[in-house]
């Protein structure tokens, strides 16, 4: 028996699953630009060999080879007024069989974060699940309308409508929304050592995990050159009032197989280069972001989405921060928190039971 398009046995747990993080281009080619060393246990090839290949070449199934890259392509639909409207989803999850060096496809949960010109993905393998030929590619949106999509059927239907010069109608309004196009940036960090990032509420800035990769759009969030952020401690970008809050988020990531959501504030002008003029925290604007994060054995993938710019929080007479509202959503911003949606209304996620069985 199968359930939700996945083979029997997919719900059995197995500790220390092969996992890895990668980046591929946001186009039909899906050229692999980076992959962590964990891919060796996931697909059997070294990271240097994998980076000579294309992501779409790994996906095995009876569906068209173009189905996988189409997951991340811009989708335009007609809203209730008949106007063209671009969909907002930028985080996706799917279960697919990936080809391995041993020529035995392995079931893998792929979580993809869509950035401006690349896709950051997290792969978690389930080698104990036997191969089953999949005829269709199904994907779960983690934001946007949070729909369960059948990419194979959607592409066929969209192709038929395009031939008639029509747009597919919007069948469900997005639950995740913000005013205008949100600025996003993706980062890959070293796997955090919880002991290294724990901090007391003293404003002391810990080192924390180093940034291994970041997209160029990070410079739209903070006043820093992406090249200068390579091997830079991520926690030094965090506003001091949110250090404890953010370190707790990393601890949760280390213990969870799921994509987690959190909101915290970055310093707009972080002290990146020694010798530069240091802007005092009390004079440094905060960039409040919502973070989607996923952790594997050899790294952490983050996607940051800017919510708003905020002034520094006030301090009391002895210099302590009075209160930080960075993790709260401005009710007047027109923004709905991903974490709020998932925790408060489980019926809006369209997630079948099988999606929560694989860990």
């Amino acid at each position: 028996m199968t359930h939700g398009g996945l083979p029997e046995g997919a719900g059995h747990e197995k500790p220390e699953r092969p996992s890895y993080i990668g980046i591929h281009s946001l186009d039909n080619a899906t050229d692999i630009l980076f992959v962590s060393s964990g891919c060796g246990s996931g697909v059997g090839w070294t990271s240097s060999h994998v980076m000579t290949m294309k992501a779409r070449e790994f996906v095995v199934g009876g569906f068209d080879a173009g189905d996988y890259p189409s997951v991340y392509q811009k989708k335009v639909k007609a809203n209730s007024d008949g106007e063209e409207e671009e969909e907002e989803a930028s985080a996706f999850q799917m279960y697919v069989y990936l080809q391995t060096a041993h020529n035995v496809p392995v079931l893998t949960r792929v979580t993809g974060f869509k950035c401006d010109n690349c896709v950051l993905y997290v792969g978690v393998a389930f080698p104990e699940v036997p191969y089953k030929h999949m005829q269709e590619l199904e994907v779960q949106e983690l934001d946007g309308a949070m729909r369960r999509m059948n990419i194979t059927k959607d592409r066929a239907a969209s192709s038929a409508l395009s031939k008639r010069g029509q747009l597919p109608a919007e069948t469900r309004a997005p639950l995740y929304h913000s005013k205008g196009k949100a600025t996003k940036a993706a980062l890959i960090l070293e796997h955090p050592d919880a002991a290294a990032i724990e901090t007391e509420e003293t404003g002391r800035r810990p080192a924390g995990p180093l940034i291994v990769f970041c997209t160029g759009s990070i410079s739209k969030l903070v006043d820093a050159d992406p090249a200068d952020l390579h091997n830079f401690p991520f926690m030094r970008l965090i506003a001091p009032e949110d250090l404890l809050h953010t370190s707790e988020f990393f601890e949760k990531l280390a213990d969870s197989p799921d994509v987690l959501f959190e909101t915290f504030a970055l310093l707009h002008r972080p002290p990146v280069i020694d010798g530069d003029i240091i802007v005092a925290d009390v004079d440094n604007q905060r960039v409040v972001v919502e973070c989607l994060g996923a952790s594997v054995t050899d790294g952490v993938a983050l996607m940051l989405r800017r919510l708003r710019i905020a002034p520094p929080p006030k301090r009391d007479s002895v210099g302590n921060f009075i209160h930080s509202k960075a993790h709260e959503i401005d009710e007047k911003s027109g923004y709905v928190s991903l974490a709020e949606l998932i925790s408060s209304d489980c019926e809006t996620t369209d997630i079948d039971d099988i999606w929560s069985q694989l860990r």
Side-chain angles (χ1 to χ4, degrees):
M1 291 291 293
T2 63
H3 181 63
L6 293 179
E8 185 176 10
H12 297 298
E13 289 194 19
K14 190 173 183 178
E16 300 299 328
R17 295 194 176 282
S19 57
Y20 48 94
I21 298 173
I23 302 166
H24 67 70
S25 57
L26 181 61
D27 53 22
N28 285 328
T30 64
D31 294 315
I32 296 177
L33 310 174
F34 169 88
V35 67
S36 64
S37 59
C39 69
S41 58
V43 294
W45 280 296
T46 63
S47 55
S48 58
H49 179 76
V50 169
M51 283 190 286
T52 66
M53 306 175 71
K54 303 178 185 299
R56 61 187 292 172
E57 296 174 345
F58 285 91
V59 182
V60 178
F63 43 84
D64 187 85
D67 283 4
Y68 174 73
S70 72
V71 170
Y72 307 105
Q73 291 175 357
K74 181 186 297 184
K75 297 176 179 64
V76 178
K77 291 197 173 188
N79 60 22
S80 57
D81 297 324
E83 301 173 340
E84 292 187 11
E85 189 172 87
E86 182 180 343
E87 294 185 338
E88 300 181 34
S90 53
F92 308 84
Q93 193 168 87
M94 67 202 84
Y95 289 86
V96 293
Y97 284 97
L98 301 184
Q99 189 59 270
T100 68
H102 311 295
N103 204 31
V104 179
V106 60
L107 183 67
T108 303
R109 181 178 65 212
V110 176
T111 303
F113 301 102
K114 177 183 174 182
C115 308
D116 291 339
N117 56 9
C118 66
V119 173
L120 189 155
Y121 63 91
V122 177
V124 178
F126 298 83
E128 76 279 10
V129 179
Y131 175 69
K132 181 181 181 356
H133 193 64
M134 288 185 173
Q135 295 292 338
E136 298 172 343
L137 176 61
E138 295 186 11
V139 178
Q140 173 70 45
E141 291 181 344
L142 298 182
D143 59 352
M146 300 178 73
R147 300 166 305 169
R148 179 79 171 270
M149 302 183 297
N150 186 311
I151 299 298
T152 305
K153 290 182 178 179
D154 289 350
R155 287 189 74 209
S158 179
S159 177
L161 288 173
S162 297
K163 290 179 181 178
R164 298 198 296 267
Q166 296 176 301
L167 284 172
E170 181 62 81
T171 57
R172 177 176 178 181
L175 297 172
Y176 174 94
H177 62 92
S178 59
K179 291 184 178 180
K181 186 176 181 181
T183 299
K184 298 179 296 183
L187 303 93
I188 294 178
L189 314 181
E190 296 176 319
H191 193 276
D193 178 353
I197 62 174
E198 287 180 355
T199 181
E200 299 176 356
E201 296 181 81
T202 60
R204 178 176 61 84
R205 196 181 306 283
L210 301 182
I211 298 173
V212 178
F213 168 88
C214 63
T215 57
S217 55
I218 188 68
S219 60
K220 297 179 181 178
L221 296 179
V222 297
D223 186 13
D225 190 306
D228 294 330
L229 293 177
H230 183 66
N231 287 329
F232 185 79
F234 176 75
M235 295 297 284
R236 292 187 64 189
L237 301 180
I238 305 299
E241 66 272 16
D242 276 348
L243 282 174
L244 182 62
H245 178 63
T246 307
S247 67
E248 291 172 348
F249 171 60
F250 275 100
E251 291 175 13
K252 292 176 183 177
L253 274 181
D255 295 332
S256 174
D258 300 319
V259 175
L260 301 182
F261 308 90
E262 192 53 88
T263 305
F264 48 80
L266 305 176
L267 293 172
H268 180 246
R269 298 183 64 184
V272 175
I273 302 177
D274 292 338
D276 273 4
I277 298 175
I278 297 178
V279 180
D281 283 336
V282 294
D283 299 320
N284 211 337
Q285 282 189 313
R286 274 38 172 177
V287 181
V288 183
V289 298
E290 183 164 42
C291 175
L292 287 74
S295 176
V296 297
T297 55
D298 57 358
V300 173
L302 302 177
M303 188 178 75
L304 308 179
R305 181 186 285 109
R306 185 173 67 188
L307 304 184
R308 62 187 182 274
I309 303 294
K314 296 180 180 180
R315 295 174 182 259
D316 60 22
S317 58
V318 295
N320 295 321
F321 292 104
I322 296 176
H323 183 61
S324 171
K325 293 188 176 181
H327 60 283
E328 299 179 8
I329 301 299
D330 185 351
E331 294 181 356
K332 298 180 181 180
S333 67
Y335 176 83
V336 177
S337 165
L338 297 177
E340 179 186 354
L341 286 171
I342 291 176
S343 62
S344 63
D345 188 1
C346 60
E347 295 182 357
T348 64
T349 62
D350 281 351
I351 300 179
D352 204 349
D353 290 341
I354 192 66
W355 294 89
S356 61
Q357 293 176 13
L358 293 179
R359 288 290 183 267

